[in-house]
Amino acid sequence: MPQYSPEPFRIKVVEPIRLPSSKERKAAIEAAGYNPFSLKAQDIFVDLLTDSGTGAMSHHQWAAMMQGDESYAGARSYYRLAEAITDIVGFRFFVPTHQGRAAENILSAVLVKPGNYVPSNMHFDTTDANIRARGGKPANLVIDEAFDPQDQHPFKGNMDIVKLKAFIERVGVENIPFGMVTVTNNAGGGQPLSMENIRAIAETYHGYGLPFYIDAARYAENAYFIKLREPGYAHKSPKEIAREMFSYADGMTMSAKKDAIVNIGGLLCLNDESVFQRVKNELILREGFPTYGGLAGRDLDAMAVGLYEALEEDYLAYRLGQTSYLSARLKEFGVQMIEPPGGHAIYIDAGHMLPHIPQAEFPGQALSVEMYLGGAIRGCEIGSVMFAHPDPDSGQMVYPKLELVRLALPRRTYTQSHLDYVADTIGEISQRAKQLRGFKFNYAPELLRHFTARFEPL
Ligand SMILES: *Cc1c(COP(=O)(O)O)cnc(C)c1O
């Protein structure tokens, strides 16, 4: 048997992609202000910017879309989604939203007051920004191993329970509207949490009377990691494991663009009826009527099917197999990454590859620009461009611990030969890393600046 899991699907519709010439690539990235977010998709060959909404839907999902019920209220599509949610996640109430961040916005609008704290292992950037936008303060309490890219801890997304208790004691329960955790931990390398840790987080929050919300964007990948790595779970199905994870929580936000394998959609699920009332009012104001929440009926049907497909074992074996394969290929070139590879992405340690570029000159940005110039590959900087910010008290710049470039793999979209192409291109760059130079900002907005910033090479 081969070391990898071949794609458990065959291709029935294709989307042509084209490799632009090196001259075209140079012109395109210059016009984009050296920000890969501003490139035109037609100028990209392999797009690993994100796994969000970029997956390929199955023929079952496309067929389900044809049955979408576009009634304004009470559509059949809503009830089909409700059935899947009851079966898989088990929370009492839910609303669809147009994306994960819309769910975060609504939850924050309803529960976060100025000066409040919201702890998590690590908040994703949109969660962080939504809490801040309501005057709240997000806090990241992941275990220290998460910051050592070479540490082989099997559950590097775990929250540090000692830190969590100390944090709650320090800021006071009355200043915490709810606690969170992100599964898998996207901002920390797509690393999973163990069931044991999720249980301990729930016990801690509940011990202080705090509601516990899961950011469940990658619940299926996390469930499969638990199956592979945590004693006692090898014989359970990913669905049983997912259900157990959710059974410890009081609600969840979710970007359905991840593990529901749809191009657009989100969910906010919860057990508290009085909060649900306020959620519905906010939803009607921002998204739409509670039975469609900013989506078309057909989107709800695709989501209902996708929630199940993401839990299929052969799919998950292939999915997690892709990141291990790409990681192994990059290692042949001596490229360092966050170890072990995450579920949805590889995180290259650009700080390690480019030690001559200081954090203030954005080593991650330098590598992602070079990946485009070298092979029309698009990745995403997750380092100082995304996270460096002035300390509110001292005004001093605070830099993140790691300078990463994320290669996120869209679900069921690229083949192993695309992964070989990516590994060979980046491997070649790593051999001439010393020649790369840093960048400075030309323009940067205050919140979520990585999306629209423009740069100039140094
Ligand atoms: C993508 C993502 C979000 C935000 O979801 P959108 O659908 O992009 O708005 C929130 N949390 C995590 C962990 C994510 O990966």
Side-chain angles (χ1 to χ4, degrees):
M1 283 293 284
Q3 289 298 301
Y4 51 85
S5 307
E7 289 82 2
F9 50 80
R10 54 183 181 174
I11 297 163
K12 133 156 100 180
V13 176
V14 296
E15 178 185 352
I17 51 176
R18 174 181 166 267
L19 176 61
S21 70
S22 121
K23 204 173 143 208
E24 287 172 309
R25 302 199 290 270
K26 208 159 168 281
I29 194 77
E30 217 178 287
Y34 297 93
N35 185 346
F37 274 104
S38 303
L39 286 166
K40 289 182 183 160
Q42 67 179 24
D43 295 330
I44 294 160
F45 188 51
V46 178
D47 198 350
L48 307 182
L49 181 66
T50 175
D51 63 325
S52 181
T54 50
M57 292 208 298
S58 68
H59 61 183
H60 295 297
Q61 285 177 294
W62 282 108
M65 285 187 86
M66 291 303 294
Q67 298 176 40
D69 176 350
E70 306 303 341
S71 304
Y72 191 92
R76 293 171 191 85
S77 303
Y78 168 81
Y79 288 102
R80 286 192 283 263
L81 177 60
E83 217 170 286
I85 285 173
T86 305
D87 187 33
I88 295 171
V89 307
F91 295 112
R92 290 172 66 205
F93 307 108
F94 86 98
V95 288
T97 58
H98 80 277
Q99 287 196 211
R101 71 195 66 186
E104 294 158 5
N105 174 31
I106 288 164
L107 188 67
S108 300
V110 167
L111 295 179
V112 177
K113 294 192 184 64
N116 278 178
Y117 294 85
V118 182
S120 185
N121 51 348
M122 286 176 88
H123 291 282
F124 185 63
D125 59 359
T126 59
T127 325
D128 182 289
N130 268 301
I131 293 165
R132 286 184 200 278
R134 302 287 166 180
K137 297 175 193 169
N140 296 333
L141 306 170
V142 72
I143 56 172
D144 290 336
E145 285 88 336
F147 298 110
D148 177 356
Q150 297 310 304
D151 193 295
Q152 293 287 338
H153 193 295
F155 293 106
K156 281 170 96 171
N158 280 355
M159 195 144 162
D160 187 323
I161 303 296
V162 175
K163 277 191 218 165
L164 174 61
K165 285 182 181 157
F167 177 84
I168 298 172
E169 296 285 345
R170 184 163 60 77
V171 307
V173 274
E174 66 283 6
N175 296 313
I176 304 177
F178 59 94
M180 285 192 84
V181 79
T182 313
V183 305
T184 57
N185 184 17
N186 187 355
Q191 300 291 326
L193 287 81
S194 68
M195 191 71 86
E196 185 186 12
N197 189 252
I198 294 171
R199 214 179 289 125
I201 295 165
E203 276 166 17
T204 306
Y205 284 142
H206 292 156
Y208 287 98
L210 298 172
F212 170 28
Y213 283 80
I214 295 180
D215 177 340
R218 296 181 183 77
Y219 75 99
E221 289 167 15
N222 202 100
Y224 198 64
F225 275 121
I226 288 175
K227 183 180 168 78
L228 294 178
R229 296 181 184 171
E230 190 162 349
Y233 288 92
H235 300 293
K236 296 204 168 158
S237 71
K239 183 178 160 195
E240 284 173 300
I241 298 171
R243 275 203 71 106
E244 182 181 341
M245 278 163 44
F246 291 124
S247 74
Y248 300 122
D250 304 293
M252 69 180 219
T253 57
M254 178 174 175
S255 171
K257 302 169 72 170
K258 320 292 169 46
D259 275 355
I261 326 184
V262 290
N263 302 121
I264 197 75
L267 289 169
L268 172 54
C269 307
L270 69 171
N271 284 334
D272 184 318
E273 195 162 6
S274 68
V275 175
F276 180 57
Q277 282 305 331
R278 292 156 63 202
V279 160
K280 277 197 289 191
N281 294 336
E282 190 68 21
L283 187 90
I284 290 167
L285 186 64
R286 311 266 168 214
E287 294 281 294
F289 190 74
T291 61
Y292 74 84
L295 293 170
R298 56 181 171 271
D299 297 327
L300 306 183
D301 273 303
M303 208 194 290
V305 175
L307 284 167
Y308 284 102
E309 290 185 354
L311 289 168
E312 284 169 10
E313 287 208 40
D314 60 351
Y315 160 74
L316 284 166
Y318 141 80
R319 172 88 181 136
L320 300 192
Q322 275 208 317
T323 51
S324 345
Y325 180 80
L326 179 55
S327 154
R329 285 289 340 269
L330 283 166
K331 261 189 236 171
E332 292 169 13
F333 295 98
V335 174
Q336 275 200 18
M337 287 154 284
I338 294 189
E339 298 281 343
H344 67 293
I346 292 293
Y347 294 72
I348 297 175
D349 186 345
H352 175 267
M353 190 190 288
L354 305 168
H356 58 288
I357 303 181
Q359 287 193 285
E361 295 174 10
F362 309 123
Q365 195 66 20
L367 176 58
S368 38
V369 167
E370 200 62 26
M371 279 165 23
Y372 181 73
L373 287 169
I377 297 161
R378 179 156 70 169
C380 181
E381 193 263 10
I382 300 198
S384 286
V385 175
M386 196 180 267
F387 290 121
H389 61 276
D391 181 87
D393 301 323
S394 71
Q396 284 254 323
M397 282 306 280
V398 184
Y399 289 98
K401 294 192 184 169
L402 296 177
E403 296 290 339
L404 303 171
V405 171
R406 184 184 73 177
L407 307 181
L409 303 183
R411 291 167 181 76
R412 307 188 289 208
T413 303
Y414 292 113
T415 64
Q416 190 163 316
S417 113
H418 291 118
L419 300 187
D420 283 324
Y421 172 80
V422 169
D424 292 334
T425 304
I426 295 173
E428 185 270 322
I429 292 170
S430 74
Q431 310 305 306
R432 56 179 171 83
K434 280 197 188 73
Q435 299 159 14
L436 271 59
R437 293 285 166 271
F439 284 84
K440 68 171 189 186
F441 277 127
N442 255 350
Y443 160 77
E446 208 180 312
L447 281 180
L448 299 176
R449 62 183 183 175
H450 52 287
F451 288 126
T452 54
R454 294 183 68 83
F455 300 86
E456 208 175 287
L458 287 166

